[in-house]
Amino acid sequence: MGHLRTCPSGFSLLLQDMEGQELPYVLIDRIGGKHGVYEDHVEFLEKHFRLVTMKEYLENKTFLSKKITAIYMWYYKPVINEELLQSLPNLKILASSGVGIDHLDLNLLSSYSVKVSNTPFAVSTDTADMGMALMLASSRRLVEGYQLAVSPDTEYFPADWLGAEVSGASLGIVGMGTIGYKVAERAKAFEMKILYHNRNQRKKEEESAVGAIYCKKIDDLLQQSDFVLLSVNLTPQTRKLIGKRELELMKPTATLINISRGLVVDQDALVEALQNRVIKAAALDVTYPEPLPRDHPLLKLKNVIITPHIGSATKKTRRRMMENMTESIEASLAGLPVPNEVLQ
């Protein structure tokens, strides 16, 4: 075990690892609770770092401000602002969980020479699975079917209670990055016609592997697709990418699936489109805010499925995210190339 030192506040700091080397001090928000580091991740992390919670940091700023060299951001916490960055003169890297970086001010971090990493590849498989799950659940009316099956008022199952076919249908993927491509691989097994819109067209061999057709204009994709799946990063360019105009371009029998960020869709326009049957249905793993207010109209519509932003929420993936973040921090502090570094 390492040596223990008690700071003025009374908490103990682990200063050295088993070889006598001082462990890097890494700032976290908290352990456990709503946004805290998972308790079953702590043992692994403490083999690599001296974890400092925000509470500990605020109580011992004088001692800790120059010690902390990395921030481990889990569930967008701790919140990063200029005041915090100014107080951490030796900060080298911020490792953020997940793929989205819309919660970070990259220009601000860069001005303090702080590198940023995320975990895009760790989350891609589970998030792609979630996209397919939402498409299947929505098309076959799984939630409604469950409610019908367990309702105390159900006396028989109506013969005209019908869903829509996924196999052979057209899937339009907006954002053919790592996650979008994995969705396409899964959709190919359902013999779907796959269209995609992306900033850049993929290589011909990648398109051929999944049978994907590139749509340079998003309008072409929207008009042809039975299912439109959103898998883009939230940027100023993608904010409210899908609005009233785009929804009206979609087929009245189409379903919108969002596994990216809630703000990619104009939510008010979506409510109106669903209420007026401009499109058939929506399946959303993301909204804004999260969770929605309990009186929000989306929660009252039967042609909507909403899940609580659980695209990457499996034990294996969350642990892989934690391991990726650890690797990025250690590489940065050792002066090595940072895996999954976010470059502007």
Side-chain angles (χ1 to χ4, degrees), residues 45-113:
L45 290 169
E46 286 187 336
K47 290 178 181 177
H48 299 263
F49 310 125
R50 165 59 180 103
L51 301 179
V52 179
T53 67
M54 277 299 297
K55 182 176 183 295
E56 291 171 341
Y57 172 68
L58 293 173
E59 291 174 349
N60 297 271
K61 262 189 175 184
T62 303
F63 174 74
L64 293 170
S65 61
K66 293 182 180 180
K67 283 283 189 180
I68 291 169
T69 53
I71 294 175
Y72 181 98
M73 177 177 273
W74 195 253
Y75 275 96
Y76 317 130
K77 302 288 184 176
V79 174
I80 306 302
N81 53 38
E82 189 153 18
E83 181 184 358
L84 179 61
L85 293 174
Q86 286 177 342
S87 71
L88 301 173
N90 296 316
L91 184 65
K92 299 291 189 296
I93 184 169
L94 183 152
S96 179
S97 61
V99 61
I101 53 171
D102 48 281
H103 56 290
L104 297 174
D105 186 336
L106 296 181
N107 290 327
L108 176 63
L109 287 158
S110 178
S111 72
Y112 283 88
S113 300

Side-chain angles (χ1 to χ4, degrees), residues 131-286:
M132 290 300 296
L134 286 170
M135 179 160 52
L136 291 165
S138 180
S139 65
R140 300 307 300 271
R141 301 169 66 185
L142 203 64
V143 175
E144 290 178 86
Y146 167 77
Q147 292 169 343
L148 177 67
V150 303
S151 171
D153 300 322
T154 298
E155 296 179 359
Y156 63 92
F157 294 155
D160 61 350
W161 194 89
L162 303 174
E165 291 186 358
V166 168
S167 296
S170 296
L171 169 63
I173 301 173
V174 181
M176 187 74 104
T178 305
I179 294 170
Y181 194 80
K182 284 183 177 289
V183 172
E185 290 176 326
R186 286 150 178 74
K188 183 187 178 188
F190 284 81
E191 300 176 342
M192 301 187 81
K193 177 184 178 182
I194 301 168
L195 310 172
Y196 78 99
H197 172 73
N198 211 33
R199 285 176 301 176
N200 302 303
Q201 185 172 358
R202 278 195 169 255
K203 296 177 182 177
K204 292 296 182 183
E205 54 267 30
E206 294 173 335
E207 291 180 337
S208 298
V210 293
I213 300 170
Y214 179 61
C215 295
K216 188 174 182 179
K217 296 181 179 179
I218 191 173
D219 291 9
D220 295 335
L221 178 148
L222 296 172
Q223 291 169 332
Q224 297 179 62
S225 301
D226 298 308
F227 300 91
V228 174
L229 182 139
L230 308 177
S231 180
V232 295
N233 290 327
L234 178 60
T235 66
Q237 292 72 38
T238 62
R239 187 184 179 95
K240 295 191 177 180
L241 177 68
I242 303 298
K244 186 175 188 293
R245 187 190 76 85
E246 290 75 23
L247 291 164
E248 289 177 349
L249 286 174
M250 292 172 62
K251 297 178 181 180
T253 54
T255 297
L256 180 71
I257 302 157
N258 191 2
I259 56 172
S260 53
R261 286 291 187 269
L263 281 165
V264 171
V265 177
D266 182 334
Q267 218 158 248
D268 293 336
L270 178 60
V271 169
E272 185 178 338
L274 290 166
Q275 289 173 334
N276 297 327
R277 297 288 175 172
V278 173
I279 64 172
K280 182 180 179 181
L284 315 170
D285 188 41
V286 288

